Amino acid sequence: MIEFPWLTLTIWLPILGGVAVIVSGDKTAELTKWLALIVAVLTFLVSLPLWLNFNPHGGIQFIERTPWIPSFNVYYYLGVDGISMPLIILTTFITMFVVIAGWEVITYKPSHYMAAFLIMEGIMVGVFSALDAILFYVFWEAMLIPMFIIIGIWGGPNRVYATIKFFLYTFFGSVFMLVALIYMYFQAGSFSILDFQQLPLGMTAQVLIFIAFLLAFAVKVPMFPVHTWLPDAHVEAPTGGSVILAAIMLKIGGYGFLRFSLPITPDASASLDGLIIALSLIAIVYIGFVALVQKDMKKLIAYSSIAHMGFVTLGFFIIFAIFRRPEVTSGAVMALEGGMVQMISHGFISGALFLCVGVLYDRVHSREIADYGGVIHVMPWFGAFVVFFAMANAGLPGTSGFVGELMVILAAFRADFWYAFLAATTLILAAAFTLWMVKRVIFGEIGNDKVAKLQDINRREMLNLGVLAAAVLAIGIWPKPLVDVMEPTLQHLVEQIQVSKIPGVAAEIAQSLK
């Protein structure tokens, strides 16, 4: 019995829908926008069976496998597990609000603008569902094109500099990943990612492959010190571009660590975990201080994203420090779960914060904190949403921002007190830079005449922010459904990486355990 191709539909519906939106043109702009919204909503609806019919204990599911380039054993090979499926739902969910957010704001070539996001949505779903390395790489590189266009055409005055920097950083790291994938193809005889995970690689090969993956994934996260492209890209990108960049594209780097680095090169990951932990803690602490001195709201949120994504990589690599403590019998799965929950949560919170900045920019055409003040007096509903998302960004209990950070900090305590101590400083730093922005922008006396003339959010903006607030609250109050979906997959991953891939070493470990 052939299962219905839900993944193929989720990938190609928005891509073909994007082409249809371009063909519809800008002469009927209103019809074009409705077409884009219908495609985005339909894509979200066809992605829901992935969640509703998913069996957490079923391993890779919704598998589709068709020969693509038979001479090189390359397949159109798709499937999802508890790691990739929530990220696909996040992608289709957030894209709807990006389309709605650009409804009245984008006046220059709106059909191309909407189409770029729809096409990028399909490509990102492809990244999360690809189980063939070449297919993954094609989708991975294809992501650059629509984002390059979005920033380059609808971006700010320095958009050319930002797009070139974004492209060069991300493309440079990807080249090394391609070399690693080709090497493993010659070892495995196929490009199947699942076959790569079974390869008995020596330590030297693992270290080189790990570094190649690190160069690709660290740029995407982005990790310190290859993070400098992100603030520039955010500042110059239109609101929708910033939302997708923060909510989805950064998560692809974290996903890469879970899908490639940890299961394929566990010995190298264990040997080099100190480097990743150090870089993660620098991102959490140092970038938190950098965020404190920002004068541009978008830059502040961009640096905040780097700090929060540091929690993700910390959670993913702290597990090896836990393994080294025989007296600690648990915590590794919780660390991975914390990193995953943090990725999903950050998608909602950062997306909402960039939408809030977009609301103000559309009215005042400034992102400078000094150009505001007392917004709550003229925009009470908007002010309430900003305060709520700021609290979530600072990790307020009861919001999704608290859940992931707490799980990573608790797991870090089981590895090393100082890891946990340094990670926990984000609870202070995030509150400091987020509340400082809120105090200057939202509260106080009305700053100037432009602020005094502001109108509160309309129904479209209320819908966007209201649904995202509900999602942040839902995960914060009841994270169990999300955790239950991920836990069996992450438990299996922990079991995978606890066994050495170096020939002969696994047998020695098994003998020593008897």
Side-chain angles (χ1 to χ4, degrees), residues 194-462:
L194 302 182
D195 289 346
F196 288 173
Q197 294 176 2
Q198 303 303 317
L199 280 176
L201 298 168
M203 191 61 178
T204 301
Q206 283 198 42
V207 169
L208 292 174
I209 292 170
F210 178 87
I211 293 172
F213 286 150
L214 177 62
L215 290 172
F217 303 145
V219 171
K220 273 287 196 294
V221 168
M223 297 176 66
F224 177 89
V226 290
H227 65 281
T228 57
W229 64 269
L230 184 67
D232 293 319
H234 271 309
V235 168
E236 299 304 323
T239 299
S242 291
V243 171
I244 289 296
L245 196 58
I248 312 298
M249 289 191 72
L250 304 190
K251 313 304 176 290
I252 291 173
Y255 171 77
F257 283 122
L258 291 181
R259 182 64 75 217
F260 289 87
S261 301
L262 295 181
I264 295 175
T265 60
D267 301 288
S269 299
S271 298
L272 299 173
D273 68 321
L275 170 65
I276 308 300
I277 290 171
L279 294 177
S280 301
L281 291 173
I282 291 172
I284 292 170
V285 179
Y286 167 69
I287 300 298
F289 281 110
V290 173
L292 270 171
V293 299
Q294 298 305 311
K295 299 178 181 179
D296 184 298
M297 287 185 285
K298 263 195 171 184
K299 267 198 174 181
L300 189 149
I301 300 169
Y303 280 113
S304 168
S305 294
I306 298 168
H308 283 102
M309 288 302 291
F311 258 90
V312 174
T313 51
L314 178 65
F316 291 168
F317 284 87
I318 204 78
I319 59 176
F320 298 103
I322 295 173
F323 293 156
R324 295 190 190 101
R325 300 187 63 183
E327 71 276 12
V328 178
T329 58
S330 63
V333 175
M334 181 169 63
L336 295 178
E337 288 173 351
M340 276 293 299
V341 172
Q342 177 74 350
M343 284 206 293
I344 301 297
S345 166
H346 181 261
F348 292 130
I349 296 171
S350 64
L353 285 173
F354 279 116
L355 285 175
C356 289
V357 174
V359 167
L360 290 178
Y361 185 80
D362 294 341
R363 289 160 168 77
V364 181
H365 300 291
S366 173
R367 294 183 299 266
E368 294 293 318
I369 294 173
D371 290 340
Y372 294 92
V375 171
I376 192 77
H377 298 295
V378 291
M379 302 178 71
W381 277 107
F382 174 75
F385 278 119
V386 171
V387 171
F388 172 77
F389 290 121
M391 294 293 100
N393 196 51
L396 180 73
T399 65
S400 61
F402 175 74
V403 178
E405 291 181 2
L406 177 65
M407 295 172 78
V408 173
I409 291 172
L410 289 176
F413 262 114
R414 304 193 180 194
D416 188 285
F417 167 79
W418 290 108
Y419 292 163
F421 175 81
L422 291 172
T425 58
T426 192
L427 300 175
I428 300 170
L429 291 172
F433 60 68
T434 307
L435 296 181
W436 178 81
M437 179 183 72
V438 169
K439 176 181 179 294
R440 298 279 301 277
V441 173
I442 302 299
F443 296 112
E445 298 297 322
I446 294 178
N448 50 58
D449 291 340
K450 287 186 176 180
V451 174
K453 296 176 182 177
L454 289 175
Q455 298 292 318
D456 209 350
I457 51 177
N458 55 37
R459 287 180 295 178
R460 174 179 55 82
E461 294 161 336
M462 178 77 78

Side-chain angles (χ1 to χ4, degrees), residues 476-494:
I477 295 171
W478 194 35
K480 189 175 185 299
L482 178 60
V483 174
D484 286 349
V485 162
M486 301 182 302
E487 186 167 359
T489 302
L490 296 176
Q491 178 65 52
H492 175 68
L493 177 59
V494 167

Side-chain angles (χ1 to χ4, degrees), residues 93-109:
F93 183 75
I94 292 294
T95 303
M96 293 189 295
F97 301 107
V98 170
V99 172
I100 296 171
W103 201 268
E104 297 174 359
V105 179
I106 303 300
T107 55
Y108 178 72
K109 294 188 179 297

